Amino acid sequence: MLETRDRILDVALDLLGENPDAGMGEIASAAGVVRRTVYDHFPSRLDLIRTLTERAVAEMTAVLNEVNASGAAADAAWVAFIARVWPVAHRYRVLLALRRGEYGEAIHALLGPVDELLADLVKRGQDTTVFAQHLPADTLSQIAYGVVFAIADSDRSNGTPGARAATITSLLMLGVPETRAIALVGDQP
Amino acid sequence: MLETRDRILDVALDLLGENPDAGMGEIASAAGVVRRTVYDHFPSRLDLIRTLTERAVAEMTAVLNEVNASGAAADAAWVAFIARVWPVAHRYRVLLALRRGEYGEAIHALLGPVDELLADLVKRGQDTTVFAQHLPADTLSQIAYGVVFAIADSDRSNGTPGARAATITSLLMLGVPETRAIALVGDQP
DNA sequence: GCAGTATTGCACACGGGTGTACAGTGAGAC
DNA sequence: GTCTCACTGTACACCCGTGTGCAATACTGC
């Protein structure tokens, strides 16, 4: 049997993905445990959310660091990034909904490092004229990864189609020409 | 003094825009009225939300119908659409947040006609090879206007920069080349 | 078998939002 | 003046989620 704590986290992620307003009771039941037990591991709902967010941040920064270190062109790096981050974004799509509302501040704060790394990548793309410059790098990166999350969020079944759509769409909005975008995605589907 | 009912609706839109979880009490206070009075006009919270949504749908379909009737090229029509729908989308940005959660179903149902009109416009663009075809028209239109709403939602101060960003970004993700997008927006800023 | 820890099964306090009931008040219409 | 109608003020019932307390029980390793 998986460690109870980890099982609670996994199940909470699933459940909150379906319904961001799921309560501690529902999470407990779904984890095959009593509500009281959840509180033994996470003193408050915020603790649970925070732990989930920290997990997401860790996974995403890991991917971003690797991709940034690979020295590939910014657009190719972006494709690699989306390909690898897609399952993560999909798993943690709740955070998109949770970012508004009660815990928004806490989540936003934890997400800071990811935002920075993302902006760095987009900046690099703009400096090498691979990405469009109609918006500042930080704004553009926010919108682009917002779109990725939004598509992940609307794609409840987690499929390759979703990933492909997210990749091409985000490339286009970053200013990569359609032909180039298609070519890039062909390489790494 | 404005009709109480209309004032409640206006104030509710503002308040919910700031915080989608604002309660009937807060809305009442902000409208300078007692909670009980709100219930005189809207028997339940859902009634209020529904009325708000109906308003949004009416305004948006009006704009969409005009734009669709103008016979302009699809990309130019899209620019006109965003320009005119932007203040509306901004005002009603709450609906984006409210679409998840308790009233999601009701809102989604009411938004149906808008979705269809939007898909028609995008389809026309695809048929005339003005828009990209990497995604089916209904999916693409959903994503594109999702982005517009998302930008409206992140732009609390309602500014021309937001509108411009939303227009260019959505054009790009529809597959319009950057040069053409800039040119189009230059025409109608 | 025993100690120690994780989990259970209640019970409870608390806060907050929804929706209702009903008597009272104020202002304009006739 | 008085009738009407919108709004007020207050109180209440209800539901639901959070977080706590505590004794009882199951499971673990030694």
Side-chain angles (χ1 to χ4, degrees):
Chain A
M1 180 116 95
L2 229 76
E3 278 299 329
T4 303
R5 182 190 160 90
D6 288 333
R7 207 175 60 248
I8 291 175
L9 283 171
D10 288 346
V11 149
L13 205 49
D14 275 6
L15 226 63
L16 292 171
E18 297 299 317
N19 168 26
D21 290 329
M24 298 295 259
E26 296 175 62
I27 293 172
S29 309
V33 106
V34 142
R35 197 166 62 95
R36 189 63 184 79
T37 303
V38 176
Y39 280 101
D40 277 339
H41 291 280
F42 306 96
S44 80
R45 184 183 175 78
L46 176 57
D47 282 283
L48 210 180
I49 306 285
R50 195 189 296 128
T51 305
L52 248 24
T53 310
E54 281 163 0
R55 265 191 174 190
V57 170
E59 294 184 35
M60 292 178 73
T61 51
V63 171
L64 263 169
N65 280 324
E66 278 184 50
V67 167
N68 266 334
S70 83
D75 52 2
W78 180 267
V79 172
F81 166 60
I82 300 298
R84 296 197 41 195
V85 95
W86 175 258
V88 182
H90 194 268
R91 256 174 83 65
Y92 291 96
R93 62 185 187 278
V94 211
L95 299 182
L96 189 66
L98 255 33
R99 243 171 53 171
R100 298 224 165 280
E102 211 176 339
Y103 311 114
E105 246 179 84
I107 293 177
H108 188 76
L110 290 170
L111 248 39
V114 178
D115 292 347
E116 281 180 37
L117 287 171
L118 226 35
D120 288 347
L121 175 53
V122 170
K123 183 88 177 60
R124 185 156 70 85
Q126 289 184 323
D127 289 346
T128 54
T129 68
V130 168
F131 292 158
Q133 295 165 18
H134 61 290
L135 290 174
D138 57 348
T139 308
L140 191 52
S141 61
Q142 285 300 307
I143 297 182
Y145 106 122
V147 166
V148 173
F149 259 88
I151 297 179
D153 191 32
S154 67
D155 175 25
R156 290 304 172 86
S157 54
N158 187 7
T160 314
R164 189 182 170 85
T167 309
I168 297 184
T169 304
S170 56
L171 281 174
L172 288 177
M173 70 194 303
L174 285 168
V176 177
E178 188 184 355
T179 51
R180 169 82 173 146
I182 304 278
L184 280 169
V185 175
D187 285 317
Q188 206 159 359
Chain B
M1 179 116 95
L2 229 77
E3 279 298 329
T4 303
R5 181 189 161 90
D6 288 333
R7 207 175 60 249
I8 292 174
L9 283 171
D10 288 345
V11 148
L13 204 49
D14 275 7
L15 227 64
L16 292 171
E18 298 298 317
N19 167 26
D21 290 328
M24 299 294 260
E26 296 174 63
I27 294 171
S29 308
V33 106
V34 139
R35 198 166 60 95
R36 188 62 185 79
T37 302
V38 176
Y39 280 102
D40 276 340
H41 292 280
F42 307 97
S44 79
R45 184 183 174 78
L46 176 57
D47 283 281
L48 210 178
I49 306 285
R50 195 189 297 128
T51 306
L52 248 23
T53 309
E54 281 163 358
R55 264 190 174 191
V57 170
E59 295 184 34
M60 291 179 73
T61 51
V63 172
L64 263 169
N65 279 324
E66 279 184 49
V67 167
N68 266 334
S70 84
D75 52 2
W78 180 267
V79 172
F81 165 62
I82 300 297
R84 297 197 39 196
V85 94
W86 175 257
V88 181
H90 193 268
R91 254 175 85 64
Y92 291 95
R93 61 186 186 279
V94 211
L95 299 182
L96 189 66
L98 255 32
R99 244 171 51 172
R100 297 220 168 282
E102 211 175 339
Y103 311 114
E105 247 179 85
I107 294 177
H108 188 77
L110 290 169
L111 248 38
V114 178
D115 293 345
E116 281 179 37
L117 287 170
L118 226 34
D120 288 347
L121 175 53
V122 170
K123 183 88 178 57
R124 184 156 70 84
Q126 288 184 324
D127 289 346
T128 53
T129 68
V130 168
F131 291 158
Q133 294 164 20
H134 61 291
L135 291 174
D138 56 346
T139 307
L140 192 52
S141 62
Q142 285 299 308
I143 297 182
Y145 106 123
V147 166
V148 173
F149 259 89
I151 296 179
D153 190 33
S154 67
D155 175 26
R156 289 303 172 88
S157 56
N158 187 6
T160 315
R164 189 183 170 84
T167 309
I168 297 184
T169 304
S170 57
L171 281 174
L172 288 177
M173 69 195 302
L174 285 168
V176 176
E178 188 184 355
T179 50
R180 169 82 173 147
I182 304 278
L184 280 169
V185 175
D187 285 318
Q188 207 158 1

